[in-house]
């Protein structure tokens, strides 16, 4: 299941135009890591943006909370994220 | 559920348009509401994107968790979000 979601997100990465959707892609990468990655992989993803110690601690606290959510809830949060992006206001 | 997630994400990929700034603004509005708004104001913000019942429930669960975070943590999460947006990769 997790692999399938990751593959779908990679598909998303390939479809997004690199020239125009970098912000979108960076957001999605962080959101993907928050909801789908292991804590160590997530922390590595955070380091990419050079957070200070307080920001890093806060993001790790957030991950600890998110990891308590049932997988069906996580899936529906990602579905909602998709709904935001494809909404007419985002077109 | 697995298929539903994949379909949602592939749909998301297909809709990923050049209007990345607008996508990000909508993301930011949802993130802001998640971390800063009252539960009722947040739910109103969610309705704007016509979520189905499962998505709405999931996003409300997420808000319930996020609201347990200390305000300093919330501030640092928003600072990190700012760091992602301002990073050279997003410029």
């Amino acid at each position: 299941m997790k692999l399938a979601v990751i593959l779908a997100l990679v598909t998303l990465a390939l479809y997004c135009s690199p020239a125009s959707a970098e912000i979108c892609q960076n957001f999605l990468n962080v959101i993907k890591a928050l909801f789908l990655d292991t804590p160590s992989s997530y922390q590595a993803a955070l380091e990419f943006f050079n957070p200070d110690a307080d920001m890093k601690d806060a993001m790790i606290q957030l991950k600890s909370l998110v990891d308590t959510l049932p997988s069906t809830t996580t899936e529906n949060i990602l579905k909602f994220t998709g709904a935001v992006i494809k909404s007419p206001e985002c077109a």
Side-chain angles (χ1 to χ4, degrees), chain A residues 19-80:
Chain A
S20 58
E22 287 171 284
I23 294 174
C24 165
Q25 192 54 52
N26 276 283
F27 255 125
L28 287 174
N29 287 344
V30 172
I31 290 170
K32 170 195 156 293
L34 175 63
F35 288 102
L36 300 176
D37 284 8
T38 62
S40 60
S41 174
Y42 170 70
Q43 288 188 42
L46 296 183
E47 295 293 351
F48 186 73
F49 298 101
N50 299 313
D52 65 27
D54 288 342
M55 285 191 261
K56 192 175 165 185
D57 286 350
M59 292 302 288
I60 289 170
Q61 281 187 59
L62 181 62
K63 171 79 170 158
S64 300
L65 285 184
V66 162
D67 282 349
T68 66
L69 290 168
S71 62
T72 50
T73 302
T74 300
E75 288 164 14
N76 279 301
I77 290 168
L78 291 172
K79 278 174 69 178
F80 180 80

